[in-house]
Amino acid sequence: MIQRPRRLRGNGILRKMVRETRVDKASLIYPLFVREGSGIQEEIPTMPGQYRYSVDQMPYKLEQLKKAGIGSIMFFGIPHEKDQWGSGAYAEDGIVQKALREARRQFGEGLYLVTDVCMCEYTSHGHCGVLHGREVDNDQTLKLLAKTALSHAVAGADMVAPSDMMDGRVLAIRNQLDDEGFTHVPIMSYAVKYASGFYGPFREAAGSAPAFGDRKSYQMDFHNRKEGLKEALTDVEEGADIIMVKPALAYQDIIREVAGLVHVPVAAYSVSGEYAMVKAGAKLGYVEESRMIAEMAVGAYRAGASVYLTYFAEEIARLMDEGVIG
Ligand code: PBG
């Protein structure tokens, strides 16, 4: 008998009925850049359509996201001054801490506030930890990361997300949070984070490119698969509540494998370069923006992610409202 898979493709309602992958706005997290100053909303040149907001302007954006059905935000901070210890990362009046307090004051429990925990936006040398000579000192950095995560929790973060790739950071952060009474604050670990050219536009946005060398002594070699699985398992053991794979687009095999391996939710982060690539291609008229966004998003979920971080969160919400994806 001839097999006729086309039978299930002949009608739009039927196609939706038998879709294997469903996307839900509740699983989206929008990354947001906050900076010092006031009255500022400046477009990021490498990420057209994305902005850096001063804390007083940020609430308008948060309101807009909330209206679109996006309830979770990931904060990235751009400080006034940087120093060799990245002290702006854990300062009580640091930029992320101020943004958290303001978001909490205005939105109460109405938004879920996640913070990126790292040093690179705050260090004068742009590395993700403190230096010992020209090397990033893993164990010294752990103390500062734990301090940063704690200061975020104190300022109102609902969840912390370490992105530095130091060994042992999940355990160090978990212990610190627990010791100070924040046992309820989950950790989403950027566990499987590759050293990637796809972060280029972000480093422009945050002014966080390393002043010398690269991040290859802490972020992973993109040729490696088993190493990614080990990172994921290690972080689950250390107490990570959600495991992230990053970037998303060129790493869907890794998302799939990690999702099959760990028994915690898996998040995928569609990073700045993925965003910029679609924007640039669309501007040149080479690709159709909405369709690229839809396929990249659904691809991440189909691969096994159940949480998706993306600068396209609002566009995805709109595509869901229009019934293009969902
Ligand atoms: C901080 C951090 C980076 C990103 C998320 N957290 C930059 C990096 O590792 O260089 C990248 C996000 C993006 O490209 O959208 N370490």
Side-chain angles (χ1 to χ4, degrees):
M1 189 185 66
I2 182 170
Q3 290 292 323
R4 296 193 184 277
R6 289 183 58 194
R7 260 201 299 267
L8 292 181
R9 298 179 200 144
N11 173 294
I13 297 176
L14 175 60
R15 281 195 297 272
K16 278 189 190 162
M17 181 200 297
V18 298
R19 267 182 184 164
E20 297 175 38
T21 307
R22 306 261 176 212
V23 181
D24 189 326
K25 289 180 192 175
S27 65
L28 294 168
I29 303 180
Y30 179 73
L32 184 86
F33 296 94
V34 285
R35 53 156 291 166
E36 293 285 357
S38 67
I40 300 168
Q41 180 192 329
E42 58 183 4
E43 194 168 26
I44 299 165
T46 49
M47 301 175 72
Q50 299 300 313
Y51 298 82
R52 304 182 190 101
Y53 300 90
S54 54
V55 172
D56 61 323
Q57 298 299 306
M58 170 195 76
Y60 304 111
K61 181 66 185 180
L62 296 181
E63 190 60 51
Q64 191 184 321
L65 287 158
K66 209 175 157 202
K67 274 210 189 102
I70 315 294
S72 303
I73 317 293
M74 162 90 94
F75 288 89
F76 289 97
I78 302 159
H80 250 328
E81 284 172 16
K82 307 184 186 221
D83 60 34
Q84 82 191 92
W85 305 278
S87 58
Y90 41 87
E92 201 196 318
D93 64 344
I95 179 64
V96 165
Q97 290 79 356
K98 284 192 284 200
L100 287 168
R101 284 193 292 266
E102 184 61 13
R104 193 57 82 209
R105 193 178 69 78
Q106 296 218 18
F107 294 89
E109 301 297 312
L111 284 174
Y112 195 78
L113 313 178
V114 187
T115 59
D116 181 87
V117 175
C118 194
M119 314 285 302
C120 63
E121 295 114 271
Y122 305 91
T123 51
S124 43
H125 45 73
H127 279 287
C128 299
V130 281
L131 296 182
H132 188 84
R134 287 171 73 87
E135 294 297 319
V136 175
D137 185 328
N138 193 90
D139 296 7
Q140 282 302 324
T141 301
L142 293 184
K143 294 178 195 144
L144 300 182
L145 290 168
K147 208 168 158 180
T148 302
L150 176 62
S151 78
H152 290 174
V154 168
D158 289 303
M159 179 189 282
V160 294
S163 68
D164 52 283
M165 289 299 280
M166 295 302 120
D167 295 334
R169 82 278 173 78
V170 172
L171 185 62
I173 291 171
R174 185 72 273 157
N175 285 340
Q176 178 85 314
L177 291 175
D178 290 357
D179 286 350
E180 301 293 332
F182 292 98
T183 52
H184 56 285
V185 172
I187 299 175
M188 172 163 65
S189 175
Y190 288 69
V192 192
K193 178 172 174 178
Y194 289 90
S196 171
F198 283 99
Y199 310 149
F202 174 96
R203 291 179 190 173
E204 260 322 294
S208 64
F212 65 88
D214 53 38
R215 303 210 200 291
K216 289 181 184 161
S217 78
Y218 37 103
Q219 299 180 352
M220 286 174 42
D221 183 337
F222 61 85
H223 300 77
N224 296 349
R225 190 187 119 259
K226 280 190 290 186
E227 189 188 359
L229 306 183
K230 179 186 163 89
E231 284 282 5
L233 288 175
T234 303
D235 284 5
V236 169
E237 254 172 48
E238 288 185 23
D241 300 280
I242 300 177
I243 291 292
M244 190 203 295
V245 176
K246 176 189 171 199
L249 192 58
Y251 298 85
Q252 300 205 335
D253 58 326
I254 307 294
I255 299 173
R256 162 58 52 208
E257 279 206 73
V258 169
L261 182 70
V262 299
H263 296 107
V264 299
V266 172
Y269 192 155
S270 193
V271 299
S272 57
E274 300 178 44
Y275 176 86
M277 207 163 62
V278 171
K279 281 289 182 187
K283 192 176 171 194
L284 287 168
Y286 294 166
V287 295
E288 233 180 284
E289 180 171 321
S290 298
R291 298 185 67 183
M292 299 294 116
I293 297 171
E295 287 173 47
M296 282 164 66
V298 170
Y301 288 98
R302 200 182 58 238
S306 55
V307 175
Y308 187 46
L309 296 102
T310 172
Y311 303 95
F312 282 127
E314 278 178 276
E315 285 84 346
I316 292 170
R318 182 175 44 75
L319 291 171
M320 284 184 208
D321 293 341
E322 292 169 358
V324 178
I325 53 176

